[in-house]
Each structure stands twice: as C-alpha cells, then as structure tokens.
Amino acid sequence: MEKKKLVINCAICDARKPSENTLEKYEDISINSATVLVTPESEELLAQYPVNINSSDTISVPEKAPLQVVNGKLEIGADTVVSEGTVLVINGKVTVLSGGENNLKKYSHIIVNGKMLCPDSIDTSMGAISVNGKIETYPTGAIILKNNFVVDKLFVLRAKPATYWSNRFIFVDSEIESAALSAKGTAFFAKSAVVAESLAEGIVPMLNESCDIIIVPDKTAFVDKSLELNDAAVMRFGTKLFVADNLEISAESADALSKLEYLYVDGKVSLAESLQQAFYSLKAHCDDVSVVKDRKAAKITDKISVKIDKYLLEAHPEGIFVTDCVTVKIAKDVTPELIAERLSIEDCANVSCCEEQESALSLVCEDVANISTQEGEGIKGILGVVGSAFGELKDTKMINAAEYKL
C-alpha cells in the first residue's frame, strides 16, 4: 500500500516523544508550527525520518516538563501557582505583576506570541524568555492599572503611597484633590497623560518626566472609544471633547459641530467634505483627517451577499452606498449610466457584473478586492480552485490544530 503524506499546521507542536509508528506510517511529514518542542533524543529520532520542520522556534526542553498553553491573557503574580520547570506558551498578552518575579523564574521556558508587560528589573534578554511581538516595562514595584485610566475622587480616597502605572492617565475630574494625593506620596508613571488646565499645577509634578502631557480645558470629557459626532453625543459628553479613538463627522453633524468649543482626536477623523471650513475653524487637535464626499445615499452594510438591480437603484434617486459586504452582484438590467450616477461600493470582497458594467464599477468602487466579469470568477471561482486543490491532496493527511502532540 502506498504511503500518504502528513502535513501538520499548528501553533505549537510537542515533538518531545514522537511515536515511531506515526513516523514510519507516512512517506513524508511536514510540521508547520510557530513553536516546536523537542529533546536531544527526539531530534535524533526525527532526523532518521523524512520530517521537515518549518518553525519560528524549535526549543529543546526536558521530556517531562509540564506544558502550559494560554490563548488570551495571563497574569503572573506572587500568588500564581507554577510547577517548577513548566514551559509556558502564550498566544496573547502576559503581564508580570510586581511580586511575581520569583514565580517567573519557575518557568524553564516562556514563549510569548504577542505582548509582554513586566517590571523593568527583569532581564527579558535571557534565553528562557522568547517574545515574538512587543515587550513593555514598568517601574518595579508599581501598581498596574488598566489602559486609559480615569483618576476620580474615589481613586483619591483609596490611593496608596505608591507608584501607579498605566499607558495613559486621565485627570479631568474637577473634584480631584491633588494636594491629598501628594500628601500620601502617590506617584504616576505613564506614556502619556491628559490633564485639565486647573489641575496641572498639582498633578504634573507627580508624573514621570518622560510622560507626554496634554493640557486640556476644564470640563473636557474623555471619550475612550470611537465616536460619531451628533446632537446625542454633545448632550452626553458636552462641548469639549477628547476622543481617544476615531471620530466620524458626517454631513448630518453640522449642528453638533457648531456647538463644540474644544476638540482633541487621538485617532482618525472622517470628515464630510461640506464641513471642512467649520471643522478647521474649530482648530481641533488631530493628526489624521480623511475628507469624504457627503453621502445622503441609502446604506447597505455588513451583508454576506447583496444584489443590486435596476428597480433598487431607480427606487433610490439619492443613491445607494454598499459597504463591508462579502459579495455584491450587479444585475444585468443595470446600465453603466445608472451605476455611475447612483451607486457607491466600498470595503467589499467581491463585486460580480457583466463586461458592459465593469468600467463604470471601477469608478464607483473603493477598497474592493475583486471585480469579476465572468461566470465562475469571484467567490464561486475561488471555492472552485480551493476544491480542486483539495482534490489534488487526496494522498495527503492534513491536521490543523492549535496544539498537536506528535
């Protein structure tokens, strides 16, 4: 009987004790893995068989070392239970809390595919720690708080004589008593901070010198998310805004924009073409402004499949805007003139049409992966190609897993 091939696709492959029956069973074995665990003995055994390893990290560890795989977030603190010699693989973020340094030493190997946050006293360059991503440190002994931490009156009452760490602190609450914080010996360490003007004199001395400090007018509201500017947003947050994410200012935002006294946007601004003068007159603080044409069109969004025909376009003289859809099919009864006049398509995977419509569609499509004009192209065509490929792999056994033991 002819032997098959074996293809293993996984995040971590434990090849410390491979089965010889498995190795003998296949003509060829390919291991595609971010991390492969081996021992000197298993490496020698694998070399005797047609085994190809494609890996970012191939790590030699004891055969009986415990393996801990975490997909997501993990905190290592003073109370964390760790078995001596454990191999930790984390696909996500690991945070080493102050006091967790001793438990960290219990791991024989730590492989981080993502982000590591740890005290600055830890030597992350030592061989036991491998980070495929970003390493961020904080002052040893500091208390870690969530990102974009808003300091308020309650925090002041609970504050300890310690250093607090966050990526950004927000000091806009008028009831903050900076003198009380200073008297307790509280300090703050961050990449950046947003401080109300009246609080600056007391708060700034408590921040680290490398902190990027943004002084904002009193009564500025901090918005820790993307925001669409409208009357409801102004009623909720007020007329002075610090937006930590993206801001959308549509043609319908004119009234809300006219009410703003102060605006700071830390993300991208999507600005309606008709409101450019009003926006720039506000002298808003922002680095990335994208001007978009005013759209009063009917909006179709977040659909798997959409069909646009002549009846639909004629029923909407203001036009139709299609966005974030997988497949958009244009019926044959839609003329190129109607497409150019009433249709806009953006951020869609595939648009199918007839040849006469293609040139008109190229003018109204933005960020569209594929415009197909023949039967079998697009999603169906892609699936057909994939199906053919799998047909050719009939002599191959394929294993897809997060974790696999050989």
Side-chain angles (χ1 to χ4, degrees):
M1 184 178 177
E2 189 175 337
K3 291 183 178 181
K4 288 189 173 185
K5 297 178 181 180
L6 176 63
V7 177
I8 301 168
N9 302 310
C10 58
I12 179 168
C13 180
D14 189 347
R16 290 178 290 176
K17 194 176 180 180
S19 165
E20 286 198 62
N21 289 334
T22 299
L23 297 177
E24 293 172 349
K25 185 178 177 181
Y26 295 96
E27 174 191 348
D28 179 79
I29 298 175
S30 295
I31 301 174
N32 305 307
S33 178
T35 303
V36 178
L37 304 181
V38 296
T39 64
E41 293 77 17
S42 71
E43 274 194 294
E44 186 176 337
L45 179 61
L46 291 173
Q48 299 172 23
Y49 292 88
V51 178
N52 300 307
I53 298 177
N54 302 308
S55 173
S56 300
D57 292 301
T58 300
I59 302 172
S60 182
V61 296
E63 180 184 323
K64 295 184 179 180
L67 175 62
Q68 180 184 5
V69 180
V70 178
N71 296 308
K73 296 181 180 180
L74 176 68
E75 289 187 348
I76 301 173
D79 299 327
T80 303
V81 178
V82 182
S83 298
E84 197 74 40
T86 295
V87 177
L88 171 64
V89 178
I90 178 161
N91 303 306
K93 179 182 178 182
V94 59
T95 299
V96 182
L97 304 174
S98 292
E101 293 88 343
N102 289 333
N103 277 328
L104 191 69
K105 295 175 183 177
K106 294 180 181 179
Y107 291 100
S108 61
H109 288 83
I110 297 175
I111 302 101
V112 182
N113 299 310
K115 182 178 179 180
M116 183 174 192
L117 176 63
C118 61
D120 55 16
S121 59
I122 292 176
D123 182 8
T124 54
S125 64
M126 58 184 178
I129 299 177
S130 174
V131 180
N132 302 311
K134 183 179 181 181
I135 300 175
E136 194 170 2
T137 62
Y138 64 89
T140 300
I143 299 171
I144 299 176
L145 299 176
K146 68 178 183 179
N147 293 341
N148 291 326
F149 187 85
V150 179
V151 178
D152 55 16
K153 183 179 180 181
L154 182 59
F155 175 87
V156 175
L157 294 174
R158 292 177 170 177
K160 300 177 181 179
T163 297
Y164 290 88
W165 181 92
S166 174
N167 73 323
R168 177 161 52 193
F169 283 106
I170 315 301
F171 302 91
V172 294
D173 187 342
S174 60
E175 295 187 3
I176 295 175
E177 295 181 8
S178 56
L181 285 172
S182 181
K184 289 183 177 183
T186 303
F188 301 92
F189 196 102
K191 290 182 181 178
S192 66
V194 179
V195 185
E197 192 172 6
S198 63
L199 298 174
E201 186 176 349
I203 294 297
V204 169
M206 288 184 274
L207 290 162
N208 53 299
E209 289 188 5
S210 60
C211 181
D212 180 17
I213 301 171
I214 302 168
I215 305 296
V216 299
D218 289 353
K219 297 184 179 180
T220 295
F222 180 81
V223 184
D224 189 17
K225 59 181 180 180
S226 294
L227 183 68
E228 181 180 349
L229 184 62
N230 51 36
D231 288 336
V234 174
M235 288 177 64
R236 180 180 178 185
F237 299 111
T239 59
K240 301 174 184 178
L241 302 176
F242 186 109
V243 182
D245 210 324
N246 300 331
L247 178 66
E248 180 181 350
I249 305 176
S250 65
E252 291 75 27
S253 304
D255 187 54
L257 182 61
S258 68
K259 295 175 182 176
L260 293 188
E261 300 176 66
Y262 175 83
L263 178 62
Y264 193 114
V265 183
D266 204 26
K268 296 181 180 179
V269 176
S270 175
L271 176 65
E273 189 175 37
S274 60
L275 295 180
Q276 291 183 81
Q277 184 175 350
F279 175 78
Y280 290 117
S281 296
L282 182 61
K283 296 183 179 179
H285 297 262
C286 56
D287 294 326
D288 193 347
V289 179
S290 176
V291 177
V292 297
K293 292 183 178 180
D294 296 353
R295 287 194 178 106
K296 297 180 180 178
K299 189 174 183 180
I300 301 175
T301 185
D302 294 325
K303 303 290 184 183
I304 298 297
S305 180
V306 175
K307 183 177 181 180
I308 305 295
D309 57 19
K310 182 180 179 181
Y311 171 80
L312 190 62
L313 288 172
E314 288 185 341
H316 292 84
E318 75 284 2
I320 293 176
F321 175 49
V322 183
T323 180
D324 294 321
C325 295
V326 178
T327 302
V328 182
K329 184 175 181 180
I330 311 300
K332 291 182 179 180
D333 63 357
V334 179
T335 64
E337 292 77 14
L338 201 54
I339 290 172
E341 180 186 345
R342 299 190 181 183
L343 184 61
S344 295
I345 302 174
E346 186 176 298
D347 293 324
C348 295
N350 184 71
V351 177
S352 63
C353 63
C354 62
E355 289 187 8
E356 293 77 11
Q357 298 164 334
E358 185 179 9
S359 59
L361 281 168
S362 65
L363 295 175
V364 302
C365 288
E366 185 175 344
D367 293 327
V368 170
N370 179 55
I371 298 177
S372 59
T373 59
Q374 297 178 13
E375 207 59 45
E377 288 188 4
I379 297 300
K380 289 184 180 179
I382 291 169
L383 292 175
V385 172
V386 173
S388 299
F390 276 108
E392 294 173 2
L393 293 173
K394 61 182 179 180
D395 295 328
T396 301
K397 181 178 180 181
M398 187 173 294
I399 297 173
N400 300 306
E403 180 184 347
Y404 184 77
K405 190 171 185 178
L406 186 61

